[in-house]
């Protein structure tokens, strides 16, 4: 991308992206990795004509993104779309007995990627959902989440997207500090967990907007 071009970067996802953002303010980025990544990037390159938007909504699954995709994505004409969703498609199986099949998950996720390709010229960053082995019951979630992560990787290849392999990164970090240090419930990152995500996410953004 030309450094002089106006660039709009859109964060999309669930509560990890939402991070208690003020939804009455379309430019509020919340208190998580989206805000941290945007702040670091702007502080490094304040001369760039760039804006960051956050449209993550707590509790969202892929179908929820699909249902609001025109208003909250393609109508914003983003230059880069970052999609971080999928853990609720796993979680609802265990807390609400509302499982999402692999094919349904694939079809909904593919639909939002097709809309990005068909209606925008945006580059795509796909962030893997993750779960850490704390509390202990989260270990069982791997049977549902791992196949969905494989679908996401396949779609990243199919759509020539930039993949952030976050499940591996977060679990690797949990070798050095206990899982609860990074995410107290195995899913929602601590501030340090959000910072780790932001730093890894920025590595990809820098490749796109050089």
């Amino acid at each position: 991308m030309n450094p002089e071009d106006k660039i709009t970067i859109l964060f999309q996802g669930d509560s990890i992206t939402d991070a208690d953002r003020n939804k009455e303010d379309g430019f509020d980025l919340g208190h998580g990795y989206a805000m941290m990544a945007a702040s670091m990037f702007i502080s490094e390159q304040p001369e760039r004509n760039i804006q960051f938007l956050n449209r993550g909504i707590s509790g969202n699954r892929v179908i929820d993104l699909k249902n609001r995709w025109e208003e909250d994505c393609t109508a914003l004409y983003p230059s880069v779309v970052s999609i971080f969703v999928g853990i609720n498609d796993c979680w609802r199986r265990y807390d609400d007995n509302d499982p999402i099949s692999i094919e349904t998950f694939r079809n909904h996720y593919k639909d939002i990627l097709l809309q990005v390709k068909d209606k925008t010229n945006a580059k795509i960053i796909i962030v893997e959902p993750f779960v850490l082995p704390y509390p202990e019951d989260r270990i069982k979630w791997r049977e549902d989440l791992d196949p969905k992560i494989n679908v996401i990787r396949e779609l990243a290849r199919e759509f020539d997207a930039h993949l952030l392999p976050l499940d591996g990164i977060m679990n690797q970090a949990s070798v050095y500090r206990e899982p609860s240090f990074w995410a107290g419930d195995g899913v929602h990152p601590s501030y340090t967990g959000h910072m780790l995500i932001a730093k890894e996410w920025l590595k990809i953004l820098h490749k796109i907007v050089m």
Side-chain angles (χ1 to χ4, degrees), residues 4 32 41 79 87 101 103-104 108-109 120 122 126 131 148 164 180 205-206:
E4 297 181 357
F41 186 90
S79 311
I87 191 60
S101 72
E103 281 309 306
T104 298
H108 290 328
Y109 210 122
T120 79
I126 294 178
V131 66
K148 291 181 169 68
L164 178 53
S180 59
L205 184 66
H206 283 303

Side-chain angles (χ1 to χ4, degrees), residues 58-209:
S58 182
N60 269 195
R61 295 187 280 187
V62 176
I63 182 62
D64 299 304
L65 267 65
K66 178 180 175 180
N67 288 340
R68 61 184 179 85
W69 206 236
E70 181 174 359
E71 178 182 359
D72 283 348
C73 181
T74 57
L76 301 173
Y77 299 104
S79 311
V80 179
V81 179
S82 175
I83 305 169
F84 184 6
V85 71
I87 191 60
N88 290 317
D89 294 83
C90 167
W91 202 335
R92 295 296 85 82
R93 170 179 173 177
Y94 299 98
D95 67 351
D96 282 346
N97 192 28
D98 185 16
I100 305 297
S101 72
I102 289 297
E103 281 309 306
T104 298
F105 181 80
R106 183 196 311 273
N107 290 339
H108 290 328
Y109 210 122
K110 186 171 184 176
D111 186 76
I112 65 176
L113 295 174
L114 283 169
Q115 289 187 57
V116 173
K117 289 292 188 181
D118 291 344
K119 299 178 181 179
T120 79
N121 292 317
K123 303 292 185 182
I124 302 171
I125 300 174
I126 294 178
V127 183
E128 289 180 357
F130 72 90
V131 66
L132 301 182
Y134 180 85
E136 189 173 346
D137 69 329
R138 303 301 194 246
I139 297 172
K140 184 176 177 60
W141 291 18
R142 303 262 28 139
E143 65 183 354
D144 188 275
L145 186 62
D146 285 348
K148 291 181 169 68
I149 289 174
N150 286 332
V151 165
I152 287 171
R153 292 171 181 172
E154 292 168 4
L155 291 172
R157 285 191 290 269
E158 181 177 347
F159 285 85
D160 194 28
H162 299 267
L163 178 70
L164 178 53
L166 189 59
D167 185 57
I169 290 169
M170 295 296 286
N171 278 278
Q172 179 188 43
S174 296
V175 172
Y176 304 104
R177 296 290 296 264
E178 64 276 11
S180 59
F181 175 81
W182 303 103
D185 62 357
V187 172
H188 294 96
S190 62
Y191 281 118
T192 310
H194 273 288
M195 180 59 74
L196 176 59
I197 297 170
K199 290 174 67 176
E200 295 295 331
W201 185 90
L202 276 174
K203 291 177 183 178
I204 295 178
L205 184 66
H206 283 303
K207 295 177 182 178
I208 298 174
V209 300

